[in-house]
Every structure is written in C-alpha cells, then in structure tokens.
mmCIF file of all heavy atoms in Angstrom:
data_model
loop_
_atom_site.group_PDB
_atom_site.id
_atom_site.type_symbol
_atom_site.label_atom_id
_atom_site.label_comp_id
_atom_site.label_asym_id
_atom_site.label_seq_id
_atom_site.Cartn_x
_atom_site.Cartn_y
_atom_site.Cartn_z
ATOM 1 N N ARG B 1 99.177 -0.849 -24.608
ATOM 2 C CA ARG B 1 99.272 -0.037 -23.392
ATOM 3 C C ARG B 1 100.529 -0.395 -22.610
ATOM 4 O O ARG B 1 101.207 0.461 -22.058
ATOM 5 C CB ARG B 1 98.023 -0.235 -22.528
ATOM 6 C CG ARG B 1 96.780 0.445 -23.078
ATOM 7 C CD ARG B 1 95.732 0.611 -21.998
ATOM 8 N NE ARG B 1 95.293 -0.653 -21.435
ATOM 9 C CZ ARG B 1 94.307 -1.390 -21.943
ATOM 10 N NH1 ARG B 1 93.690 -1.000 -23.040
ATOM 11 N NH2 ARG B 1 93.957 -2.514 -21.363
ATOM 12 N N LEU B 2 100.846 -1.705 -22.569
ATOM 13 C CA LEU B 2 102.050 -2.134 -21.869
ATOM 14 C C LEU B 2 103.288 -1.554 -22.523
ATOM 15 O O LEU B 2 104.224 -1.111 -21.857
ATOM 16 C CB LEU B 2 102.129 -3.663 -21.836
ATOM 17 C CG LEU B 2 101.105 -4.370 -20.940
ATOM 18 C CD1 LEU B 2 101.186 -5.878 -21.161
ATOM 19 C CD2 LEU B 2 101.326 -4.026 -19.470
ATOM 20 N N ILE B 3 103.305 -1.550 -23.876
ATOM 21 C CA ILE B 3 104.428 -0.971 -24.606
ATOM 22 C C ILE B 3 104.538 0.507 -24.315
ATOM 23 O O ILE B 3 105.613 1.039 -24.048
ATOM 24 C CB ILE B 3 104.257 -1.226 -26.120
ATOM 25 C CG1 ILE B 3 104.415 -2.715 -26.419
ATOM 26 C CG2 ILE B 3 105.263 -0.417 -26.929
ATOM 27 C CD1 ILE B 3 104.065 -3.100 -27.840
ATOM 28 N N HIS B 4 103.380 1.199 -24.345
ATOM 29 C CA HIS B 4 103.366 2.638 -24.071
ATOM 30 C C HIS B 4 103.893 2.917 -22.670
ATOM 31 O O HIS B 4 104.689 3.817 -22.458
ATOM 32 C CB HIS B 4 101.939 3.153 -24.218
ATOM 33 C CG HIS B 4 101.810 4.633 -24.085
ATOM 34 N ND1 HIS B 4 102.409 5.500 -24.962
ATOM 35 C CD2 HIS B 4 101.134 5.402 -23.193
ATOM 36 C CE1 HIS B 4 102.109 6.736 -24.635
ATOM 37 N NE2 HIS B 4 101.345 6.703 -23.556
ATOM 38 N N ASN B 5 103.466 2.103 -21.715
ATOM 39 C CA ASN B 5 103.927 2.294 -20.341
ATOM 40 C C ASN B 5 105.411 2.047 -20.221
ATOM 41 O O ASN B 5 106.110 2.702 -19.439
ATOM 42 C CB ASN B 5 103.170 1.359 -19.396
ATOM 43 C CG ASN B 5 101.728 1.795 -19.189
ATOM 44 O OD1 ASN B 5 101.406 2.957 -19.427
ATOM 45 N ND2 ASN B 5 100.872 0.879 -18.775
ATOM 46 N N LYS B 6 105.947 1.100 -21.010
ATOM 47 C CA LYS B 6 107.384 0.837 -20.972
ATOM 48 C C LYS B 6 108.170 2.058 -21.427
ATOM 49 O O LYS B 6 109.245 2.346 -20.931
ATOM 50 C CB LYS B 6 107.719 -0.373 -21.851
ATOM 51 C CG LYS B 6 109.194 -0.769 -21.778
ATOM 52 C CD LYS B 6 109.460 -2.008 -22.601
ATOM 53 C CE LYS B 6 110.930 -2.406 -22.513
ATOM 54 N NZ LYS B 6 111.245 -3.579 -23.337
ATOM 55 N N VAL B 7 107.600 2.781 -22.397
ATOM 56 C CA VAL B 7 108.257 3.995 -22.876
ATOM 57 C C VAL B 7 108.263 5.064 -21.800
ATOM 58 O O VAL B 7 109.251 5.746 -21.565
ATOM 59 C CB VAL B 7 107.535 4.536 -24.133
ATOM 60 C CG1 VAL B 7 108.136 5.864 -24.561
ATOM 61 C CG2 VAL B 7 107.648 3.540 -25.266
ATOM 62 N N LEU B 8 107.122 5.206 -21.103
ATOM 63 C CA LEU B 8 106.971 6.333 -20.189
ATOM 64 C C LEU B 8 107.351 6.013 -18.753
ATOM 65 O O LEU B 8 107.624 6.909 -17.972
ATOM 66 C CB LEU B 8 105.520 6.824 -20.232
ATOM 67 C CG LEU B 8 105.081 7.400 -21.579
ATOM 68 C CD1 LEU B 8 103.627 7.827 -21.500
ATOM 69 C CD2 LEU B 8 105.944 8.565 -21.994
ATOM 70 N N HIS B 9 107.327 4.741 -18.380
ATOM 71 C CA HIS B 9 107.602 4.382 -16.988
ATOM 72 C C HIS B 9 108.981 3.737 -16.890
ATOM 73 O O HIS B 9 109.196 2.653 -17.392
ATOM 74 C CB HIS B 9 106.580 3.371 -16.467
ATOM 75 C CG HIS B 9 105.175 3.907 -16.482
ATOM 76 N ND1 HIS B 9 104.109 3.137 -16.132
ATOM 77 C CD2 HIS B 9 104.674 5.128 -16.811
ATOM 78 C CE1 HIS B 9 102.991 3.846 -16.251
ATOM 79 N NE2 HIS B 9 103.322 5.059 -16.659
ATOM 80 N N ASN B 10 109.914 4.395 -16.264
ATOM 81 C CA ASN B 10 111.196 3.771 -15.988
ATOM 82 C C ASN B 10 111.676 4.261 -14.642
ATOM 83 O O ASN B 10 110.941 4.914 -13.909
ATOM 84 C CB ASN B 10 112.226 4.037 -17.093
ATOM 85 C CG ASN B 10 112.495 5.525 -17.293
ATOM 86 O OD1 ASN B 10 112.202 6.338 -16.424
ATOM 87 N ND2 ASN B 10 113.058 5.876 -18.429
ATOM 88 N N SER B 11 112.914 3.961 -14.280
ATOM 89 C CA SER B 11 113.404 4.309 -12.947
ATOM 90 C C SER B 11 113.352 5.797 -12.685
ATOM 91 O O SER B 11 113.286 6.249 -11.553
ATOM 92 C CB SER B 11 114.839 3.805 -12.780
ATOM 93 O OG SER B 11 115.678 4.365 -13.779
ATOM 94 N N MET B 12 113.376 6.581 -13.782
ATOM 95 C CA MET B 12 113.361 8.025 -13.608
ATOM 96 C C MET B 12 112.026 8.509 -13.071
ATOM 97 O O MET B 12 111.936 9.553 -12.458
ATOM 98 C CB MET B 12 113.661 8.697 -14.949
ATOM 99 C CG MET B 12 113.690 10.197 -14.884
ATOM 100 S SD MET B 12 114.168 10.852 -16.466
ATOM 101 C CE MET B 12 113.882 12.581 -16.159
ATOM 102 N N GLU B 13 110.950 7.744 -13.305
ATOM 103 C CA GLU B 13 109.622 8.233 -12.992
ATOM 104 C C GLU B 13 109.049 7.591 -11.725
ATOM 105 O O GLU B 13 107.840 7.582 -11.523
ATOM 106 C CB GLU B 13 108.706 8.010 -14.188
ATOM 107 C CG GLU B 13 109.093 8.945 -15.329
ATOM 108 C CD GLU B 13 108.702 8.396 -16.671
ATOM 109 O OE1 GLU B 13 108.676 7.158 -16.801
ATOM 110 O OE2 GLU B 13 108.427 9.179 -17.572
ATOM 111 N N ASN B 14 109.886 7.057 -10.889
ATOM 112 C CA ASN B 14 109.445 6.575 -9.599
ATOM 113 C C ASN B 14 108.784 7.718 -8.840
ATOM 114 O O ASN B 14 109.320 8.822 -8.756
ATOM 115 C CB ASN B 14 110.655 6.032 -8.835
ATOM 116 C CG ASN B 14 110.293 5.573 -7.441
ATOM 117 O OD1 ASN B 14 110.194 6.388 -6.531
ATOM 118 N ND2 ASN B 14 110.105 4.285 -7.293
ATOM 119 N N ILE B 15 107.575 7.468 -8.298
ATOM 120 C CA ILE B 15 106.813 8.551 -7.662
ATOM 121 C C ILE B 15 107.578 9.156 -6.498
ATOM 122 O O ILE B 15 107.579 10.386 -6.305
ATOM 123 C CB ILE B 15 105.442 8.029 -7.209
ATOM 124 C CG1 ILE B 15 104.578 7.718 -8.431
ATOM 125 C CG2 ILE B 15 104.736 9.060 -6.328
ATOM 126 C CD1 ILE B 15 103.212 7.156 -8.095
ATOM 127 N N ASP B 16 108.257 8.330 -5.707
ATOM 128 C CA ASP B 16 109.021 8.862 -4.566
ATOM 129 C C ASP B 16 110.138 9.784 -5.038
ATOM 130 O O ASP B 16 110.373 10.846 -4.445
ATOM 131 C CB ASP B 16 109.606 7.712 -3.739
ATOM 132 C CG ASP B 16 108.519 6.923 -3.008
ATOM 133 O OD1 ASP B 16 107.429 7.486 -2.785
ATOM 134 O OD2 ASP B 16 108.771 5.750 -2.671
ATOM 135 N N SER B 17 110.825 9.377 -6.121
ATOM 136 C CA SER B 17 111.890 10.228 -6.658
ATOM 137 C C SER B 17 111.329 11.544 -7.166
ATOM 138 O O SER B 17 111.905 12.616 -6.966
ATOM 139 C CB SER B 17 112.630 9.499 -7.792
ATOM 140 O OG SER B 17 113.276 8.350 -7.317
ATOM 141 N N TYR B 18 110.185 11.450 -7.843
ATOM 142 C CA TYR B 18 109.582 12.670 -8.380
ATOM 143 C C TYR B 18 109.114 13.587 -7.250
ATOM 144 O O TYR B 18 109.295 14.805 -7.311
ATOM 145 C CB TYR B 18 108.409 12.306 -9.302
ATOM 146 C CG TYR B 18 107.761 13.507 -9.956
ATOM 147 C CD1 TYR B 18 108.523 14.579 -10.418
ATOM 148 C CD2 TYR B 18 106.388 13.579 -10.116
ATOM 149 C CE1 TYR B 18 107.936 15.673 -11.021
ATOM 150 C CE2 TYR B 18 105.782 14.668 -10.723
ATOM 151 C CZ TYR B 18 106.560 15.717 -11.168
ATOM 152 O OH TYR B 18 105.978 16.812 -11.756
ATOM 153 N N ASN B 19 108.528 13.012 -6.213
ATOM 154 C CA ASN B 19 108.105 13.836 -5.078
ATOM 155 C C ASN B 19 109.299 14.507 -4.399
ATOM 156 O O ASN B 19 109.214 15.654 -3.963
ATOM 157 C CB ASN B 19 107.328 12.990 -4.066
ATOM 158 C CG ASN B 19 105.933 12.634 -4.559
ATOM 159 O OD1 ASN B 19 105.384 13.311 -5.429
ATOM 160 N ND2 ASN B 19 105.361 11.573 -4.009
ATOM 161 N N ALA B 20 110.427 13.790 -4.328
ATOM 162 C CA ALA B 20 111.640 14.386 -3.745
ATOM 163 C C ALA B 20 112.133 15.540 -4.613
ATOM 164 O O ALA B 20 112.564 16.578 -4.094
ATOM 165 C CB ALA B 20 112.722 13.313 -3.601
ATOM 166 N N TRP B 21 112.068 15.347 -5.924
ATOM 167 C CA TRP B 21 112.461 16.436 -6.843
ATOM 168 C C TRP B 21 111.556 17.642 -6.666
ATOM 169 O O TRP B 21 112.015 18.781 -6.608
ATOM 170 C CB TRP B 21 112.391 15.933 -8.289
ATOM 171 C CG TRP B 21 112.718 17.010 -9.281
ATOM 172 C CD1 TRP B 21 113.948 17.343 -9.756
ATOM 173 C CD2 TRP B 21 111.793 17.906 -9.907
ATOM 174 N NE1 TRP B 21 113.845 18.395 -10.635
ATOM 175 C CE2 TRP B 21 112.545 18.763 -10.747
ATOM 176 C CE3 TRP B 21 110.409 18.075 -9.833
ATOM 177 C CZ2 TRP B 21 111.951 19.767 -11.506
ATOM 178 C CZ3 TRP B 21 109.817 19.069 -10.591
ATOM 179 C CH2 TRP B 21 110.593 19.904 -11.419
ATOM 180 N N ARG B 22 110.246 17.405 -6.583
ATOM 181 C CA ARG B 22 109.292 18.506 -6.433
ATOM 182 C C ARG B 22 109.540 19.279 -5.143
ATOM 183 O O ARG B 22 109.503 20.516 -5.119
ATOM 184 C CB ARG B 22 107.863 17.966 -6.453
ATOM 185 C CG ARG B 22 107.400 17.472 -7.810
ATOM 186 C CD ARG B 22 106.008 16.876 -7.714
ATOM 187 N NE ARG B 22 105.093 17.833 -7.100
ATOM 188 C CZ ARG B 22 103.956 17.506 -6.499
ATOM 189 N NH1 ARG B 22 103.615 16.226 -6.396
ATOM 190 N NH2 ARG B 22 103.170 18.425 -6.003
ATOM 191 N N LYS B 23 109.811 18.561 -4.078
ATOM 192 C CA LYS B 23 110.036 19.232 -2.792
ATOM 193 C C LYS B 23 111.267 20.118 -2.843
ATOM 194 O O LYS B 23 111.280 21.232 -2.300
ATOM 195 C CB LYS B 23 110.192 18.175 -1.688
ATOM 196 C CG LYS B 23 110.371 18.784 -0.303
ATOM 197 C CD LYS B 23 110.415 17.693 0.763
ATOM 198 C CE LYS B 23 110.567 18.310 2.154
ATOM 199 N NZ LYS B 23 110.624 17.271 3.212
ATOM 200 N N LYS B 24 112.280 19.665 -3.549
ATOM 201 C CA LYS B 24 113.526 20.430 -3.613
ATOM 202 C C LYS B 24 113.431 21.601 -4.563
ATOM 203 O O LYS B 24 113.970 22.680 -4.298
ATOM 204 C CB LYS B 24 114.669 19.507 -4.045
ATOM 205 C CG LYS B 24 116.020 20.207 -4.125
ATOM 206 C CD LYS B 24 117.123 19.218 -4.472
ATOM 207 C CE LYS B 24 118.480 19.920 -4.544
ATOM 208 N NZ LYS B 24 119.569 18.958 -4.864
ATOM 209 N N HIS B 25 112.742 21.433 -5.679
ATOM 210 C CA HIS B 25 112.771 22.439 -6.737
ATOM 211 C C HIS B 25 111.525 23.315 -6.792
ATOM 212 O O HIS B 25 111.627 24.517 -6.982
ATOM 213 C CB HIS B 25 112.981 21.760 -8.097
ATOM 214 C CG HIS B 25 114.316 21.112 -8.239
ATOM 215 N ND1 HIS B 25 115.437 21.789 -8.632
ATOM 216 C CD2 HIS B 25 114.700 19.827 -8.012
ATOM 217 C CE1 HIS B 25 116.467 20.959 -8.657
ATOM 218 N NE2 HIS B 25 116.043 19.763 -8.294
ATOM 219 N N GLU B 26 110.349 22.706 -6.636
ATOM 220 C CA GLU B 26 109.143 23.495 -6.835
ATOM 221 C C GLU B 26 108.833 24.420 -5.674
ATOM 222 O O GLU B 26 108.312 25.508 -5.867
ATOM 223 C CB GLU B 26 107.948 22.576 -7.103
ATOM 224 C CG GLU B 26 108.036 21.902 -8.457
ATOM 225 C CD GLU B 26 106.729 21.320 -8.906
ATOM 226 O OE1 GLU B 26 105.954 20.858 -8.040
ATOM 227 O OE2 GLU B 26 106.474 21.322 -10.119
ATOM 228 N N GLU B 27 109.156 24.033 -4.447
ATOM 229 C CA GLU B 27 108.863 24.899 -3.311
ATOM 230 C C GLU B 27 109.698 26.168 -3.323
ATOM 231 O O GLU B 27 109.367 27.150 -2.666
ATOM 232 C CB GLU B 27 109.079 24.133 -1.996
ATOM 233 C CG GLU B 27 108.012 23.057 -1.762
ATOM 234 C CD GLU B 27 108.183 22.366 -0.427
ATOM 235 O OE1 GLU B 27 109.131 22.720 0.308
ATOM 236 O OE2 GLU B 27 107.378 21.477 -0.105
ATOM 237 N N LYS B 28 110.796 26.149 -4.073
ATOM 238 C CA LYS B 28 111.637 27.340 -4.170
ATOM 239 C C LYS B 28 111.105 28.328 -5.197
ATOM 240 O O LYS B 28 111.568 29.458 -5.266
ATOM 241 C CB LYS B 28 113.074 26.937 -4.541
ATOM 242 C CG LYS B 28 113.777 26.157 -3.438
ATOM 243 C CD LYS B 28 115.204 25.828 -3.850
ATOM 244 C CE LYS B 28 115.929 25.073 -2.742
ATOM 245 N NZ LYS B 28 117.315 24.749 -3.116
ATOM 246 N N ARG B 29 110.125 27.893 -5.987
ATOM 247 C CA ARG B 29 109.628 28.755 -7.056
ATOM 248 C C ARG B 29 108.443 29.580 -6.556
ATOM 249 O O ARG B 29 107.335 29.488 -7.053
ATOM 250 C CB ARG B 29 109.239 27.927 -8.274
ATOM 251 C CG ARG B 29 110.416 27.260 -8.946
ATOM 252 C CD ARG B 29 110.069 26.782 -10.322
ATOM 253 N NE ARG B 29 109.008 25.764 -10.269
ATOM 254 C CZ ARG B 29 108.133 25.586 -11.244
ATOM 255 N NH1 ARG B 29 108.153 26.345 -12.300
ATOM 256 N NH2 ARG B 29 107.225 24.644 -11.153
ATOM 257 N N THR B 30 108.643 30.367 -5.548
ATOM 258 C CA THR B 30 107.605 31.241 -5.012
ATOM 259 C C THR B 30 107.705 32.588 -5.700
ATOM 260 O O THR B 30 108.221 33.565 -5.136
ATOM 261 C CB THR B 30 107.754 31.389 -3.491
ATOM 262 O OG1 THR B 30 109.100 31.832 -3.210
ATOM 263 C CG2 THR B 30 107.512 30.058 -2.794
ATOM 264 N N MET B 31 107.233 32.632 -6.931
ATOM 265 C CA MET B 31 107.323 33.849 -7.733
ATOM 266 C C MET B 31 106.176 34.785 -7.383
ATOM 267 O O MET B 31 105.124 34.380 -6.893
ATOM 268 C CB MET B 31 107.279 33.507 -9.219
ATOM 269 C CG MET B 31 108.365 32.557 -9.662
ATOM 270 S SD MET B 31 108.242 32.177 -11.418
ATOM 271 C CE MET B 31 108.680 33.756 -12.124
ATOM 272 N N ILE B 32 106.383 36.063 -7.607
ATOM 273 C CA ILE B 32 105.353 37.065 -7.373
ATOM 274 C C ILE B 32 105.012 37.733 -8.695
ATOM 275 O O ILE B 32 105.732 37.620 -9.676
ATOM 276 C CB ILE B 32 105.820 38.126 -6.353
ATOM 277 C CG1 ILE B 32 107.075 38.849 -6.877
ATOM 278 C CG2 ILE B 32 106.097 37.503 -5.001
ATOM 279 C CD1 ILE B 32 107.513 40.008 -5.998
ATOM 280 N N SER B 33 103.897 38.427 -8.715
ATOM 281 C CA SER B 33 103.457 39.102 -9.942
ATOM 282 C C SER B 33 104.289 40.357 -10.162
ATOM 283 O O SER B 33 103.915 41.460 -9.764
ATOM 284 C CB SER B 33 101.966 39.449 -9.843
ATOM 285 O OG SER B 33 101.197 38.288 -9.761
ATOM 286 N N SER B 34 105.414 40.172 -10.811
ATOM 287 C CA SER B 34 106.303 41.296 -11.081
ATOM 288 C C SER B 34 105.672 42.225 -12.106
ATOM 289 O O SER B 34 104.834 41.816 -12.911
ATOM 290 C CB SER B 34 107.650 40.791 -11.601
ATOM 291 O OG SER B 34 108.211 39.869 -10.705
ATOM 292 N N LYS B 35 106.090 43.459 -12.097
ATOM 293 C CA LYS B 35 105.626 44.428 -13.087
ATOM 294 C C LYS B 35 106.588 44.395 -14.266
ATOM 295 O O LYS B 35 107.591 45.089 -14.288
ATOM 296 C CB LYS B 35 105.545 45.826 -12.472
ATOM 297 C CG LYS B 35 104.449 45.961 -11.421
ATOM 298 C CD LYS B 35 104.327 47.408 -10.935
ATOM 299 C CE LYS B 35 103.196 47.542 -9.949
ATOM 300 N NZ LYS B 35 103.042 48.942 -9.452
ATOM 301 N N PHE B 36 106.264 43.564 -15.226
ATOM 302 C CA PHE B 36 107.105 43.432 -16.409
ATOM 303 C C PHE B 36 106.947 44.659 -17.293
ATOM 304 O O PHE B 36 105.880 45.275 -17.362
ATOM 305 C CB PHE B 36 106.709 42.193 -17.210
ATOM 306 C CG PHE B 36 106.900 40.889 -16.491
ATOM 307 C CD1 PHE B 36 105.807 40.118 -16.141
ATOM 308 C CD2 PHE B 36 108.166 40.432 -16.171
ATOM 309 C CE1 PHE B 36 105.971 38.906 -15.483
ATOM 310 C CE2 PHE B 36 108.341 39.232 -15.520
ATOM 311 C CZ PHE B 36 107.240 38.469 -15.169
ATOM 312 N N SER B 37 108.011 44.987 -18.006
ATOM 313 C CA SER B 37 107.909 46.068 -18.987
ATOM 314 C C SER B 37 107.064 45.632 -20.181
ATOM 315 O O SER B 37 106.465 46.455 -20.868
ATOM 316 C CB SER B 37 109.305 46.489 -19.470
ATOM 317 O OG SER B 37 109.991 45.395 -20.041
ATOM 318 N N TYR B 38 107.012 44.329 -20.418
ATOM 319 C CA TYR B 38 106.228 43.770 -21.514
ATOM 320 C C TYR B 38 105.221 42.812 -20.911
ATOM 321 O O TYR B 38 105.587 41.805 -20.300
ATOM 322 C CB TYR B 38 107.168 43.060 -22.488
ATOM 323 C CG TYR B 38 106.505 42.342 -23.636
ATOM 324 C CD1 TYR B 38 105.484 42.940 -24.378
ATOM 325 C CD2 TYR B 38 106.925 41.072 -24.006
ATOM 326 C CE1 TYR B 38 104.892 42.280 -25.445
ATOM 327 C CE2 TYR B 38 106.350 40.404 -25.079
ATOM 328 C CZ TYR B 38 105.326 41.015 -25.787
ATOM 329 O OH TYR B 38 104.748 40.352 -26.852
ATOM 330 N N GLN B 39 103.941 43.114 -21.062
ATOM 331 C CA GLN B 39 102.890 42.300 -20.454
ATOM 332 C C GLN B 39 101.852 41.899 -21.506
ATOM 333 O O GLN B 39 100.737 42.428 -21.540
ATOM 334 C CB GLN B 39 102.207 43.058 -19.312
ATOM 335 C CG GLN B 39 103.152 43.430 -18.177
ATOM 336 C CD GLN B 39 102.407 43.986 -16.979
ATOM 337 O OE1 GLN B 39 101.370 43.466 -16.586
ATOM 338 N NE2 GLN B 39 102.938 45.045 -16.399
ATOM 339 N N PRO B 40 102.205 40.995 -22.392
ATOM 340 C CA PRO B 40 101.257 40.589 -23.435
ATOM 341 C C PRO B 40 100.071 39.833 -22.864
ATOM 342 O O PRO B 40 100.199 39.120 -21.872
ATOM 343 C CB PRO B 40 102.108 39.680 -24.325
ATOM 344 C CG PRO B 40 103.115 39.090 -23.377
ATOM 345 C CD PRO B 40 103.441 40.198 -22.416
ATOM 346 N N LYS B 41 98.929 40.009 -23.500
ATOM 347 C CA LYS B 41 97.766 39.208 -23.107
ATOM 348 C C LYS B 41 97.936 37.801 -23.672
ATOM 349 O O LYS B 41 98.294 37.618 -24.832
ATOM 350 C CB LYS B 41 96.472 39.816 -23.636
ATOM 351 C CG LYS B 41 95.225 38.985 -23.255
ATOM 352 C CD LYS B 41 93.958 39.513 -23.908
ATOM 353 C CE LYS B 41 93.501 40.786 -23.242
ATOM 354 N NZ LYS B 41 92.164 41.220 -23.769
ATOM 355 N N ILE B 42 97.663 36.809 -22.818
ATOM 356 C CA ILE B 42 97.705 35.413 -23.244
ATOM 357 C C ILE B 42 96.288 34.859 -23.203
ATOM 358 O O ILE B 42 95.635 34.883 -22.158
ATOM 359 C CB ILE B 42 98.638 34.580 -22.354
ATOM 360 C CG1 ILE B 42 100.071 35.118 -22.422
ATOM 361 C CG2 ILE B 42 98.614 33.106 -22.777
ATOM 362 C CD1 ILE B 42 101.057 34.401 -21.541
#
C-alpha cells in the first residue's frame, strides 16, 4: 500500500493545489444541454 501510495501521491496531488485547480477550471464549465445534431443514447 505504501508503494502504491508513492506512485499516486506526489507534490502534484496536494489537496490544496487540486482544490485551487478545481476552482479555476471546473467552475467555468457551466455547460447547458445543447441541441446536438447527433444525440446517441448512452
């Protein structure tokens, strides 16, 4: 588990840094239900 965490946890994944990224990028993604010409069922 420690080895696995070493792979996944580094300076890039600091929670504060990630929260700052989310605030800058995700809040701008206020998409609406556009009427696409192609609307496949998923």
Side-chain angles (χ1 to χ4, degrees):
R1 287 199 299 273
L2 290 172
I3 292 171
H4 185 63
N5 288 339
K6 184 177 181 182
V7 175
L8 295 179
H9 299 176
N10 59 19
S11 58
M12 181 176 172
E13 290 154 330
N14 177 279
I15 291 178
D16 291 337
S17 296
Y18 183 39
N19 287 338
W21 177 88
R22 289 176 54 202
K23 182 176 181 180
K24 181 176 180 179
H25 294 275
E26 290 196 327
E27 289 183 0
K28 293 182 179 180
R29 293 196 298 150
T30 54
M31 302 179 69
I32 60 174
S33 296
S34 305
K35 292 185 177 180
F36 297 113
S37 58
Y38 176 46
Q39 299 189 43
K41 179 186 286 187
I42 299 178

